[in-house]
């Protein structure tokens, strides 16, 4: 049974999240503020954290960075902040995914299950009869122009400089590098990188925007990540 720590200061929202996750087979603990969450993560490891950003004692972004300083536990951020720059900052701080409030219980369970499959490989709640996804094709080390990506070592270098990527950014870059020169649709990325084909395409857009910035380019002036309008994205060596 996967264990989840819910960090939410609003009592009614916290109770609703606890009930939804419990009904879907998760063992749920909770905290109402950032420092309590840090104590929980330190004292009793969990399989995932659902983290609100509007906490009474710490900004959720600061709480996330502090959690990342002591643990690699997957963190799903629940936030009312829908500005793209804020979402990028959250992902760069170490979040594995995000949900913008308000969201349904079904969205929460689907995102959390996907995060657990991608990161800790904890079986999704739902019992032994739940379908098991086929193993993903192993990715090989790839060099594209001055970009070198090694999935085994989980490292990426651009012109000899190591890139500081979030877990999701690295997975996205490694997949595109493995299929360099090919146009990959956002739907395929959601299916094979996120393992969650029903998530909104904006999830891919946000990660691509952050990845472009770290590669030193913009959508209007791409070097490695070329958008093929209406089709998808492909990674190529700059000309």
């Amino acid at each position: 049974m996967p264990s989840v720590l819910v960090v939410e200061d609003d009592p009614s929202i916290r109770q609703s999240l606890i009930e939804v996750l419990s009904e879907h087979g998760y063992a749920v603990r909770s905290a109402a503020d950032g420092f309590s969450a840090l104590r929980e993560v330190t004292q009793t490891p969990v399989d995932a954290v659902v983290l609100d950003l509007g906490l009474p004692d710490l900004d959720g972004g600061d709480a996330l960075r502090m959690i990342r300083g002591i643990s690699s536990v997957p963190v799903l951020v629940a936030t009312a902040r829908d500005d793209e720059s804020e979402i990028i900052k959250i992902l760069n701080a170490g979040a594995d995914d995000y949900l913008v409030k308000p969201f349904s219980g079904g969205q929460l369970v689907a995102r959390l299950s996907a995060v657990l499959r991608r990161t800790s490989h904890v079986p999704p709640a739902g019992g032994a009869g739940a379908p098991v996804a086929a193993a993903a094709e192993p990715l090989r080390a790839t060099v594209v122009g001055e970009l070198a990506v090694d999935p085994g070592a989980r490292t990426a270098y651009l012109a000899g400089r190591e890139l500081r990527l979030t877990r999701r950014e690295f997975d996205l870059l490694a997949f595109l590098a493995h299929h360099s020169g090919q146009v990959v649709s956002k739907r395929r990325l959601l299916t094979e990188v996120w393992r969650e084909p029903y998530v909104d395409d904006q999830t891919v857009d946000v990660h691509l925007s952050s990845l472009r910035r770290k590669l030193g380019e913009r959508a209007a002036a791409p070097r490695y990540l070329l958008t093929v309008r209406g089709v998808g994205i492909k990674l190529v060596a700059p000309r």
Side-chain angles (χ1 to χ4, degrees):
M1 179 182 293
S3 58
V4 180
L5 173 64
V6 172
V7 187
E8 168 63 61
D9 67 317
D10 185 301
S12 61
I13 296 178
R14 184 169 65 249
Q15 186 58 37
S16 295
L17 297 179
I18 291 172
E19 290 175 1
V20 167
L21 293 173
S22 297
E23 288 170 1
H24 284 80
Y26 291 93
V28 187
R29 303 209 312 271
S30 66
D33 57 66
F35 285 112
S36 295
L38 291 169
R39 284 195 295 272
E40 288 283 342
V41 171
T42 302
Q43 295 172 3
T44 310
V46 291
D47 295 312
V49 174
V50 176
L51 176 66
D52 176 35
L53 292 184
L55 301 176
D57 57 343
L58 286 173
D59 177 78
D62 293 332
L64 173 61
R65 281 183 282 274
M66 293 173 75
I67 289 174
R68 275 289 161 264
I70 59 175
S71 173
S72 61
V73 62
V75 177
L76 172 60
V77 167
T79 175
R81 307 172 191 175
D82 58 359
D83 179 73
E84 180 176 324
S85 62
E86 182 69 24
I87 292 171
I88 289 173
K89 183 164 64 174
I90 292 166
L91 293 170
N92 285 338
D96 292 276
D97 205 347
Y98 69 93
L99 271 172
V100 177
K101 296 179 180 179
F103 52 80
S104 68
Q107 284 181 297
L108 172 65
V109 172
R111 289 290 188 94
L112 185 58
S113 179
V115 164
L116 288 171
R117 289 198 303 272
R118 289 192 303 269
T119 56
S120 59
H121 305 293
V122 173
V132 178
E137 177 188 359
L139 302 183
R140 302 183 299 273
T142 307
V143 177
V144 181
E146 294 185 301
L147 177 66
V149 183
D150 185 348
R154 293 193 67 82
T155 56
Y157 289 85
L158 180 62
R161 176 179 60 85
E162 185 170 8
L163 299 174
R164 297 176 61 85
L165 304 175
T166 66
R167 188 199 316 261
R168 190 66 48 71
E169 288 168 354
F170 182 86
D171 291 342
L172 175 58
L173 181 61
F175 186 85
L176 290 172
H178 183 64
H179 297 87
S180 61
Q182 302 176 29
V183 181
V184 182
S185 69
K186 292 179 183 178
R187 195 54 37 185
R188 184 180 178 189
L189 290 173
L190 288 170
T191 300
E192 300 195 35
V193 178
W194 273 258
R195 307 290 177 87
E196 188 54 66
Y198 305 108
V199 177
D200 193 282
D201 286 357
Q202 185 190 19
T203 299
V204 177
D205 292 334
V206 168
H207 283 79
L208 284 173
S209 177
S210 180
L211 197 52
R212 278 195 171 100
R213 182 175 58 81
K214 293 182 179 182
L215 290 173
E217 63 182 61
R218 296 176 292 110
R223 298 179 64 244
Y224 284 93
L225 299 174
L226 302 184
T227 297
V228 179
R229 190 174 298 277
V231 183
I233 189 87
K234 67 176 177 179
L235 188 145
V236 298
R239 295 181 179 179

